[in-house]
Amino acid sequence: MSSTLYELLGGEAGITRIVEDAVNAHLNNPVVQSRFQHTANIERAKKMSVEFFCAGSGGPQSYTGRDMVAAHQGMNISEQEFMAVVDDVLQALDKNAIGPEARQQVLSILYGLKGQIIRI
């Protein structure tokens, strides 16, 4: 029986750990550090990220945040910043022992969002 991405990521608890690890990496990554250090409500950003990944990976949660274009409009995010965030997410997946199947699916999702995030 095939598992959903949600299950492969460890459900809500696993996704919460992955998001926490990714955000911590962002806060220590010199390429994107300032963007995350100046986030007005980092806990809300984490909550929205958990919701987004849960809903988008087949979990029962609903995403209550803004769409990607609205969330990133006017931020002028560069390709380098986008790639730094992707690298941090991949490191968080590794830290949480997420296997190659789920890792590839997450990477595909992130790249699918690229046009809704970079330089909009």
Side-chain angles (χ1 to χ4, degrees):
M1 183 171 157
S2 171
S3 297
T4 65
L5 179 56
Y6 180 76
E7 293 166 335
L8 293 172
L9 295 174
E12 185 173 8
I15 291 170
T16 299
R17 283 189 303 275
I18 292 164
V19 166
E20 188 70 34
D21 290 339
V23 171
N24 286 340
H26 301 336
L27 288 167
N28 290 299
N29 185 330
V31 176
V32 293
Q33 182 179 51
S34 64
R35 289 200 184 262
F36 286 87
Q37 286 176 335
H38 300 297
T39 299
N41 188 342
I42 196 77
E43 292 308 314
R44 175 160 170 67
K46 289 179 191 177
K47 179 183 183 297
M48 292 297 98
S49 295
V50 168
E51 280 185 13
F52 182 81
F53 274 100
C54 285
S57 64
Q61 297 81 354
S62 295
Y63 175 60
T64 60
R66 297 181 292 167
D67 64 68
M68 290 299 103
V69 172
H72 298 93
Q73 188 74 41
M75 293 177 71
N76 199 28
I77 295 170
S78 71
E79 175 91 20
Q80 181 185 20
E81 290 170 313
F82 178 81
M83 292 308 302
V85 166
V86 169
D87 287 344
D88 289 346
V89 171
L90 292 175
Q91 288 174 7
L93 294 174
D94 288 344
K95 181 176 180 181
N96 286 275
I98 301 301
E101 178 186 350
R103 182 182 168 91
Q104 184 59 45
Q105 289 181 52
V106 169
L107 195 56
S108 293
I109 291 167
L110 292 172
Y111 275 104
L113 295 170
K114 185 176 176 181
Q116 299 175 46
I117 296 172
I118 293 180
R119 304 247 189 256
I120 56 168

